[in-house]
Amino acid sequence: ILLQVLDDGRITDSQGRTVDFKNTIIIMTSNLGSQFLLDGIDAIAAEFKKLAEKGGVMGLNLGPEFVGAVEGVTRLEDLVAQILHIRNVGGAEVLALGSDFDGIGCGLEMEDYSGMARLCEMIEKRFGGDDAERIISGNAIRVLSDILN
């Protein structure tokens, strides 16, 4: 399907219905940098700092193996702790909240997208004002604006 979108700019289902992606931004992500988990905390911190220096952002990964979750379940408190660590190392400008919900139903405390509202409330309570706004939406909007301009 992705190749059809990239090649043709549209997809067609088995019923002949076509969806046009002409005015769509497709953001592809990867766990390519996960090898840094094996290189130790110093390497991860260095990558966060490089990303911040270049004005980039990273998305919050919801998978239990990335958050250090207890008993294979990612709790919202675990995600907030991960956000705190990333913010302390790279600054609030380096992290964007967003997910394709990879991990939903397999070890994540929230069962669907409706849990994002609770997570956002927890981020606002923990970080307040400007940092919460940057993490929840501002950083992603900033990067998309830079790309589009």
Side-chain angles (χ1 to χ4, degrees):
I1 293 176
L2 179 60
L3 291 177
Q4 186 179 6
V5 171
L6 295 176
D7 286 343
D8 302 333
R10 66 185 193 303
I11 57 174
T12 306
D13 68 9
S14 62
Q15 311 265 314
R17 297 176 294 209
T18 300
V19 177
D20 187 354
F21 284 82
K22 179 172 39 177
N23 295 316
T24 303
I25 297 172
I26 297 174
I27 300 173
M28 296 187 289
T29 62
S30 169
N31 291 334
L32 189 62
S34 63
Q35 74 271 10
F36 292 111
L37 294 173
L38 303 175
D39 295 335
I41 298 300
D42 291 336
I44 295 169
E47 292 303 310
F48 288 163
K49 289 176 184 176
K50 286 180 192 175
L51 186 63
E53 289 168 6
K54 295 188 179 283
V57 296
M58 64 178 287
L60 182 63
N61 192 306
L62 304 179
E65 62 277 7
F66 288 95
V67 183
V70 178
E71 297 180 12
V73 175
T74 301
R75 298 172 306 135
L76 297 180
E77 291 83 9
D78 299 328
L79 295 172
V80 173
Q82 183 183 33
I83 292 169
L84 176 63
H85 172 72
I86 294 167
R87 193 217 45 195
N88 288 345
V89 172
E93 295 79 15
V94 78
L95 183 64
L97 181 60
S99 177
D100 59 1
F101 294 99
D102 185 22
I104 291 282
C106 57
L108 185 62
E109 183 179 51
M110 65 176 118
E111 294 179 13
D112 58 29
Y113 68 89
S114 64
M116 291 298 280
R118 182 164 169 247
L119 178 59
C120 289
E121 288 171 7
M122 293 173 73
I123 292 169
E124 289 170 349
K125 182 177 179 182
R126 176 67 179 92
F127 300 100
D130 291 342
D131 280 358
E133 186 277 329
R134 284 183 191 110
I135 293 166
I136 292 169
S137 62
N139 290 335
I141 292 169
R142 172 181 51 83
V143 169
L144 288 173
S145 294
D146 289 348
I147 291 168
L148 294 173
N149 289 329

